[in-house]
Amino acid sequence: KPQFRNALIGVLAVIILFVVYITFLSKGASWDFNKFRIGSTTAETLGELSENDIIETDAISRLEIKVPDVGTISLEPNSKIQRLPANKIQLLSGMLTEKKKGANKLLTLVVPEAEIKDYFLGGQFTLAVNEENITTVNVNDGWTTIVKNDLETLLLPNHTCRIIPDSGIGLPYLNTSAS
């Protein structure tokens, strides 16, 4: 019965390799983040943000998250995000700014009823979700797309757009215009 024993050893080896891969290698790289108190330039290193982790800020702190190959995300006071698999972040409440200078990978931000995606690498934009789940997207540099129900809206630099639940994507407007 050495054939049966060898086959059993082979199957067990494959199962062990699969478990090791799922446990250690299939997860994305952890994202380091620092905490800043309002009015202070000194950062407190808090650790790493792994997939499915949720972090939030209080009224007197900000977080800066370093996303490998993407850039930096600044989480403003009274904000909450969840890191999702596959280079995605869900903004649950509050405001964040994404700075993607020198990015090598795209990042998707999930907000109530829509996804905000890079149109190309690089650029900077700010997202805010208020108490009524209305999202405001403000593009400072680069181009961004808003995707809702398979419809895509392109947002150009220096433009702002609102996403209203149960209503849709508003018309983008130039930041110098009255809102």
Side-chain angles (χ1 to χ4, degrees):
K1 304 263 178 178
Q3 291 176 339
F4 176 75
R5 185 184 66 177
N6 290 343
L8 184 61
I9 290 171
V11 168
L12 288 175
V14 168
I15 291 172
I16 290 171
L17 287 173
F18 179 75
V19 168
V20 167
Y21 175 78
I22 292 297
T23 304
F24 298 107
L25 302 175
S26 68
K27 294 181 180 177
S30 290
W31 302 350
D32 295 329
F33 65 100
N34 299 317
K35 181 178 182 179
F36 293 87
R37 292 270 180 217
I38 300 298
S40 173
T41 57
T42 307
E44 174 188 347
T45 302
L46 295 180
E48 298 178 343
L49 182 64
S50 299
E51 285 182 2
N52 299 315
D53 284 352
I54 296 175
I55 56 172
E56 60 186 306
T57 56
D58 57 22
I60 59 170
S61 64
R62 291 184 305 112
L63 292 177
E64 188 173 271
I65 305 161
K66 305 255 191 256
V67 182
D69 298 321
V70 173
T72 303
I73 295 173
S74 298
L75 191 60
E76 298 302 321
N78 297 317
S79 299
K80 185 176 182 179
I81 62 167
Q82 179 178 14
R83 179 181 172 193
L84 303 173
N87 260 9
K88 283 188 175 185
I89 294 177
Q90 182 171 9
L91 178 59
L92 301 167
S93 64
M95 186 165 82
L96 67 76
T97 301
E98 182 182 25
K99 300 172 190 166
K100 304 171 288 188
K101 188 169 186 136
N104 297 320
K105 291 183 179 176
L106 298 174
L107 182 70
T108 300
L109 290 148
V110 179
V111 295
E113 299 194 27
E115 288 188 345
I116 315 301
K117 297 182 178 187
D118 298 320
Y119 189 73
F120 59 83
L121 296 173
Q124 176 180 344
F125 62 85
T126 301
L127 288 178
V129 175
N130 68 15
E131 299 82 30
E132 292 87 31
N133 280 336
I134 296 173
T135 302
T136 302
V137 184
N138 182 1
V139 178
N140 301 322
D141 184 30
W143 294 15
T144 302
T145 60
I146 302 170
V147 180
K148 179 180 166 101
N149 299 331
D150 295 326
L151 297 174
E152 193 169 314
T153 300
L154 183 63
L155 208 54
L156 302 175
N158 299 314
H159 282 75
T160 298
C161 186
R162 290 200 176 131
I163 306 163
I164 301 170
D166 300 324
S167 181
I169 300 172
L171 289 174
Y173 57 89
L174 190 61
N175 287 343
T176 57
S177 66
S179 54

